[in-house]
Amino acid sequence: MKHRRSFPDVLAGGVFVLIGAAFAAGSLGYELGTPLRMGPGAFPLLVGAVVAALGLAIVVKGLVAGEVAAFGPVPWRAVAVIVLALLFFGFTVRGLGFVPASAVTALLTTLASTRVRPLMALAVAAGLAVAGTLIFVVGLQLRIPLVGPWLGF
């Protein structure tokens, strides 16, 4: 019986293993603490180990019982727009503030799809900006201005 190998599964699993290993290695620079009093490095170490283990399971599945799957065309427009949106957020969140930066980022990511209408894009951007503000600024008390100095407030 010949086993089929799934290159996409092996590749995706390998990426997960690398990301998990990077998080686990980065967490070793922080104090791990004890099981009863965990330090700041314990959670990233745990998450990194879980991600790496899941990635390893995906690699094994891809090598042992993979399905032959053909890659379709790569949606380059969507990839480029999403990467640009994330870069925009990273470079402007301190200057514009959380609400405008997250709203514009959400609006930019809707441009990745050709099926989203402008009114729906605005509704998604507004909803995500409100949800992000409630989760990160109000709930988690992230210390970042809602509206930044670039807008004159």
Side-chain angles (χ1 to χ4, degrees):
M1 181 171 157
K2 184 177 178 184
H3 294 290
R4 290 197 243 172
R5 289 176 174 78
S6 173
F7 179 70
D9 283 349
V10 172
L11 184 64
V15 169
F16 277 107
V17 169
L18 289 175
I19 290 172
F23 267 88
S27 72
L28 297 176
Y30 297 101
E31 181 183 340
L32 295 177
T34 66
L36 294 177
R37 292 190 57 92
M38 291 188 205
F43 186 71
L45 178 65
L46 179 65
V47 170
V50 168
V51 169
L54 289 173
L56 190 59
I58 293 171
V59 168
V60 169
K61 181 214 172 261
L63 290 174
V64 174
E67 299 174 9
V68 177
F71 280 117
V74 177
W76 290 112
R77 175 180 175 224
V79 170
V81 168
I82 290 172
V83 167
L84 288 174
L86 291 173
L87 289 172
F88 172 82
F89 183 82
F91 285 118
T92 62
V93 68
R94 293 199 189 275
L96 287 177
F98 186 79
V99 174
S102 61
V104 171
T105 301
L107 192 60
L108 287 174
T109 57
T110 60
L111 296 175
S113 173
T114 57
R115 297 182 288 176
V116 177
R117 301 198 186 281
L119 188 58
M120 180 59 79
L122 288 173
V124 166
L128 287 176
V130 169
T133 301
L134 290 174
I135 292 168
F136 294 107
V137 177
V138 176
L140 296 175
Q141 297 178 353
L142 183 67
R143 295 183 184 263
I144 194 157
L146 293 177
V147 180
W150 291 355
L151 298 176
F153 293 108

